[in-house]
Amino acid sequence: MPLPDLRQRQLIPEVMDQPDLDGNAHRRALRALSRINRISNSVGIVYAPLRALALSHSGPEPLRVLDVACGGGDVTIGCAVRAKAEGLPLVFEGCDMSETALGLSRSQASEREVSVHFFRQDVISDPIEEGYDAVMSSLFLHHLEEDIALQLLTNMRASGCRMVLINDIIRSKIGLILAHFAGNVFTRSPVVRFDAPASVQGAFTIEEVRRLAHEAGLDNAEVRWHWPWRYLLSWTHPDE
């Protein structure tokens, strides 16, 4: 089967974004994404800079971390588990628009015995509350039109945080092949099998992400490639 033209983004409506998606199908898809995230080391990608920030922290209060559009919360919870095991001063929160996703997040945090506060918020329309030391997001930027993606990055920067982290997929032929493979090998969820390759077609390239970061005021942001064809945008406040 010939691959689609990936020179330009093609935003294909994803099943996961449908507000009327059946709750059981949604939870099944979120659990499938959690498995794929484990294989892709999503927790490790974002936890490394958070760990470095925590190790350099000398204040009396723990650092607050917000995971934007946290989905099923597996990345948020995974980071919280690692921080708890290391005794690092990191407190995690997660927000999402989906009550189904938030319900799964809360139950998973309880099962893994970590304290993570999950709440509902539209981070595009509403400002991100000040007081977080780091604001991060995994596998969300590719869902957004470019102007809305820029607005999200701007909102994250405007929150006054010390660090911004974006972990997402890269639009590429290899990434598309891997998405088809992961969707058919690691899950039977029809939602993920459709959404995984659609996500790659809507994803940004590393060059496009660097441009968006600059336009959002994240001037010293680093954007680095990570296996399997993902990137991490990492920005720290100039005063750090």
Side-chain angles (χ1 to χ4, degrees):
M1 182 179 68
L3 295 177
D5 187 351
L6 298 176
R7 287 175 293 182
Q8 301 292 329
R9 293 183 75 210
Q10 183 180 359
L11 278 180
I12 300 171
E14 297 188 28
V15 180
M16 186 86 75
D17 294 334
Q18 297 177 2
D20 59 347
L21 177 63
D22 175 75
N24 289 329
H26 195 172
R27 283 184 286 271
R28 182 183 180 186
L30 289 170
R31 291 190 178 98
L33 288 177
S34 176
R35 290 193 295 273
I36 293 173
N37 280 338
R38 284 199 299 273
I39 296 167
S40 302
N41 191 34
S42 289
V43 172
I45 290 173
V46 297
Y47 182 69
L50 293 173
R51 183 178 187 272
L53 183 65
L55 289 173
S56 67
H57 179 61
S58 59
E61 299 296 327
L63 300 173
R64 296 178 66 205
V65 181
L66 175 65
D67 189 3
V68 166
C70 62
D74 57 289
V75 174
T76 330
I77 295 166
C79 288
V81 168
R82 294 193 184 190
K84 180 180 178 181
E86 293 191 79
L88 293 179
L90 291 168
V91 174
F92 289 87
E93 300 181 30
C95 65
D96 201 278
M97 284 291 292
S98 167
E99 291 294 349
T100 299
L102 292 171
L104 179 61
S105 298
R106 293 173 184 130
S107 65
Q108 294 294 314
S110 177
E111 287 181 14
R112 300 193 68 180
E113 299 182 337
V114 289
S115 178
V116 181
H117 174 54
F118 291 102
F119 60 96
R120 189 175 188 274
Q121 182 178 355
D122 183 345
V123 293
I124 304 298
S125 301
D126 303 326
I128 297 172
E129 177 186 321
E130 295 184 1
Y132 291 104
D133 296 281
V135 181
M136 68 179 191
S137 185
S138 294
L139 303 181
F140 179 54
L141 205 69
H142 70 265
H143 289 262
L144 308 175
E145 296 282 356
E146 184 169 317
D147 60 334
I148 300 177
L150 176 59
Q151 183 62 54
L152 174 63
L153 294 176
T154 302
N155 289 354
M156 294 170 85
R157 169 69 177 86
S159 71
C161 64
R162 301 163 60 185
M163 176 177 285
V164 170
L165 300 172
I166 300 288
N167 170 34
D168 213 322
I169 52 181
I170 300 169
R171 189 177 74 251
S172 66
K173 290 183 179 179
I174 294 177
L176 186 58
I177 292 169
L178 289 172
H180 279 290
F181 176 81
N184 285 280
V185 173
F186 299 120
T187 177
R188 295 181 179 179
S189 166
V191 175
V192 175
R193 288 184 172 182
F194 177 85
D195 283 2
S199 293
V200 175
Q201 294 183 65
F204 295 98
T205 64
I206 286 181
E207 293 74 18
E208 289 166 348
V209 172
R210 287 188 176 127
R211 174 177 54 78
L212 282 174
H214 176 73
E215 292 176 2
L218 305 172
D219 291 329
N220 63 332
E222 293 184 352
V223 185
R224 295 186 178 181
W225 179 92
H226 285 266
W227 171 260
W229 263 259
R230 294 194 178 187
Y231 67 82
L232 177 68
L233 182 158
S234 177
W235 174 86
T236 54
H237 195 280
D239 292 341
E240 291 296 317

